[in-house]
Amino acid sequence: MKRGREKCVAAALVLITLGCLLYAGKITLGLSQAAAGGPIRPNVFVISVCSLRKDLLSTYGHKGGSVMPALEQFFGQSSVLYERAFNGVPWISIISFIEPYFPLLTAQGYLAASPYWEYAYTRIPLQRTLQTARPEASELNDSEFEKDYKSYAEDVKQQILLPRSAPFALVVHIKYLHYPLIDQFNSDSEWDHFLSQSERDQIAEYSKHPEKYFSKLPMMLMLTGDPKYALAHPEIQRTVKKRDAATLRSLSGLVSNERYLQEWKASPGYAGDLEIVKKAYAGNARYLDQKLLEPMFNLYGNDELKRNTVVVFAGDHGEMHMERDQLTHATSGYDEAVEIPAAVKFPSDWPSGIRVKGQTPIHRIADLTEGVLAGSVHRENLAEKIQSLTDDVIILRDCRNTVRGLRFKNKYKYLVDTASGERQLFDLEQDPDELVNVALSRSETADEMEALYWTHLPQFNWIPPYRCLPW
């Protein structure tokens, strides 16, 4: 019995000694990491999606079946969900706000990467970590970029799984939801989930006889982007004499042209047409969710990446589907165009379940990402940092300089027509759908918003006036 007790004591001493050695080694490792610049920082994977309407998502109030289940699951697992996030300039993505930070990141040891690193649309001078055969920027137009989504998705996968000796910052921008809608479908598409056979037959009828259905011009451009529908319109036939590629490219602004939109709206079958546009858009959203986003959110099943990667998701802007007689986001400052879904998923040992209710401009989400990359935002101060990254005032401007204004404290929306000077003021607490213009009855409040606009405009000097795209 005595000998047995001695063995137990000896074993306990061995375990205690091993524990002390392991603890000492852990301390030594921690000190060596601190000496080398602190603990290893997480990878950062930024996913930006173009033209994503917030109302597609049950997380943000969508009723009915889930259109984008993978994205909904990501939101449910995210550490931070932004309930009221906005891009006051509805064409710039979060990548634009992170862009200036990348040279510093690479100097700090982060490996920066992006598929299509050479493509001017991303505009990021990133370090080359994966050689991909792509056309030069001057040879690659928007349409080719949008249609090459499968190659792009494969490049993203290769970039994420590429072995690296240091943390990486990877940014991707996905334009799959941007019009044209229909011609992006293929045999794996989600047509059957949304469009009926009769609706597809209707599209075929319009396509075969564009001269007969010229009033459907905005719809058919939204679906296909094919200039033949513009050339079939009598007014355009009278004014456009050439048919060369340069002339066809110059036919811009037709999708959002108010005259053609009203002509379409007055045409027979308009209500059904609009449903087709919405369903085609939803079909693209589902395909994007299942084929592209789901494996990205899962980090392609790599457990090591899941333990040490921050995933940032943000739409860059919404889209208009004839709310207020507008199609696309080009000339809109309404919430359908400027409000975005956004969330951040941190490694599991970081705080979770944070909901940001204050209005948050997209550049504040970029500020958080930059803080993580720089090490100034970490597990211990995350909650404090996030809640401070909101703004009472968000400056608004559409991508054609036809509208300017601001959003104030989730309380007021103020818009000014830059040509006529007509003002709109919406009381968002009483009128969240922005339907009742109270600028005349509350002229003093409108004056206050106008003054706030000019006071805060210098803080938004990142808004480049020259980046106006021809939609």
Side-chain angles (χ1 to χ4, degrees):
M1 182 69 71
K2 182 178 179 180
R3 183 175 296 174
R5 284 197 299 270
E6 290 174 349
K7 287 183 177 180
C8 289
V9 171
L13 289 172
V14 170
L15 289 174
I16 292 171
T17 302
L18 286 173
C20 290
L21 289 172
L22 289 171
Y23 183 69
K26 185 175 181 180
I27 292 176
T28 303
L29 178 60
L31 290 174
S32 65
Q33 286 181 340
I40 296 175
R41 287 166 291 173
N43 306 308
V44 176
F45 179 29
V46 180
I47 305 171
S48 172
V49 171
C50 184
S51 306
L52 177 59
R53 287 178 64 101
K54 183 177 170 182
D55 62 1
L56 278 178
L57 304 163
S58 59
T59 301
Y60 291 100
H62 174 70
K63 306 298 182 184
S66 177
V67 176
M68 304 183 74
L71 183 53
E72 302 282 12
Q73 183 179 27
F74 175 78
F75 286 146
Q77 297 172 346
S78 290
S79 310
V80 181
L81 177 70
Y82 293 91
E83 295 186 1
R84 305 308 303 270
F86 298 89
N87 184 357
V89 191
W91 75 91
I92 299 175
S93 79
I94 192 173
I95 296 174
S96 300
F97 299 110
I98 296 176
E99 173 191 355
Y101 203 72
F102 272 90
L104 177 60
L105 284 175
T106 55
Q108 290 179 342
Y110 264 90
L111 298 177
S114 177
Y116 291 101
W117 64 270
E118 77 279 34
Y119 183 36
Y121 187 87
T122 61
R123 301 181 298 108
I124 305 176
L126 296 180
Q127 175 181 339
R128 217 188 287 193
T129 59
L130 178 67
Q131 188 74 23
T132 57
R134 290 285 174 267
E136 294 299 323
S138 60
E139 300 174 3
L140 188 65
N141 60 39
D142 279 354
S143 180
E144 289 171 313
F145 179 55
E146 291 157 11
K147 292 177 181 178
D148 203 19
Y149 61 91
K150 286 188 176 180
S151 297
Y152 187 70
E154 185 60 30
D155 287 348
V156 172
K157 180 179 180 180
Q158 291 184 55
Q159 288 275 14
I160 289 180
L161 298 179
L162 191 70
R164 293 181 173 89
S165 59
F168 66 80
L170 173 65
V171 295
V172 299
H173 183 63
I174 304 171
K175 288 177 66 68
Y176 188 66
L177 276 177
H178 198 284
Y179 82 86
L181 300 175
I182 291 295
D183 67 355
Q184 297 185 49
F185 282 107
N186 53 41
S187 59
D188 300 324
S189 74
E190 299 294 331
W191 276 61
D192 292 341
H193 287 279
F194 298 95
L195 288 169
S196 67
Q197 184 60 52
S198 63
E199 288 169 328
R200 282 183 262 178
D201 291 342
Q202 192 66 50
I203 296 172
E205 172 69 11
Y206 293 164
S207 179
K208 291 176 182 177
H209 305 286
E211 73 292 339
K212 180 180 178 182
Y213 300 101
F214 61 83
S215 61
K216 308 297 183 180
L217 171 60
M219 171 193 179
M220 295 308 292
L221 288 177
M222 185 74 172
L223 293 179
T224 70
D226 192 329
K228 77 176 184 181
Y229 299 104
L231 296 175
H233 194 286
E235 180 178 336
I236 296 175
Q237 285 181 356
R238 288 194 301 269
T239 57
V240 177
K241 302 304 180 184
K242 295 183 179 180
R243 296 295 187 265
D244 59 279
T247 301
L248 296 179
R249 282 197 299 270
S250 71
L251 298 177
S252 62
L254 300 181
V255 178
S256 55
N257 185 291
E258 184 177 347
R259 183 170 67 258
Y260 296 135
L261 288 173
Q262 291 305 314
E263 187 177 72
W264 174 38
K265 189 176 180 180
S267 69
Y270 164 75
D273 295 344
L274 188 56
E275 286 304 305
I276 288 174
V277 170
K278 291 178 179 179
K279 289 178 180 181
Y281 175 86
N284 277 17
R286 186 174 181 87
Y287 187 95
L288 166 70
D289 181 83
Q290 297 294 287
K291 303 297 184 180
L292 279 74
L293 292 182
E294 185 173 35
M296 290 183 188
F297 290 147
N298 190 42
L299 294 170
Y300 302 95
N302 188 297
D303 292 334
E304 179 62 26
L305 290 176
K306 292 178 183 179
R307 285 191 291 268
N308 60 15
T309 302
V310 175
V311 181
V312 181
F313 177 88
D316 62 350
H317 54 75
E319 198 71 287
M320 302 295 290
H321 288 161
M322 287 301 286
E323 297 86 358
R324 309 160 218 282
D325 294 344
Q326 294 181 342
L327 192 63
T328 84
H329 52 277
T331 56
S332 179
Y334 298 108
D335 279 0
E336 292 92 349
V338 300
E339 192 165 7
I340 59 174
V344 183
K345 185 178 180 181
F346 290 94
S348 58
D349 57 343
W350 287 53
S352 61
I354 301 172
R355 296 295 180 265
V356 182
K357 297 181 181 297
Q359 67 175 28
T360 305
I362 193 172
H363 70 273
R364 291 299 189 185
I365 304 171
D367 290 345
L368 173 65
T369 306
E370 292 172 0
V372 172
L373 291 167
S376 61
V377 176
H378 43 75
R379 290 190 297 267
E380 287 70 25
N381 68 1
L382 175 64
E384 173 190 355
K385 292 288 186 181
I386 287 175
Q387 296 300 342
S388 67
L389 294 175
T390 57
D391 280 316
D392 289 345
V393 174
I394 298 175
I395 294 293
L396 306 174
R397 183 168 72 80
D398 73 327
C399 70
R400 287 195 160 182
N401 292 321
T402 61
V403 175
R404 66 168 179 85
L406 59 81
R407 207 176 190 282
F408 178 67
K409 287 187 174 180
N410 283 329
K411 186 175 182 180
Y412 289 112
K413 167 72 71 65
Y414 174 72
L415 300 173
V416 180
D417 185 306
T418 56
S420 68
E422 180 183 355
R423 304 196 300 182
Q424 296 183 81
L425 178 68
F426 301 102
D427 183 337
L428 299 178
E429 294 178 339
Q430 302 297 320
D431 177 29
D433 295 325
E434 304 173 351
L435 299 176
V436 181
N437 180 11
V438 297
L440 292 178
S441 60
R442 301 191 195 178
S443 59
E444 290 185 2
T445 302
D447 291 342
E448 291 174 4
M449 295 300 107
E450 176 73 8
L452 277 175
Y453 173 85
W454 294 109
T455 299
H456 286 80
L457 184 61
Q459 301 173 26
F460 288 78
N461 57 7
W462 43 258
I463 301 177
Y466 55 85
R467 287 208 66 227
C468 184
L469 303 182
W471 301 326

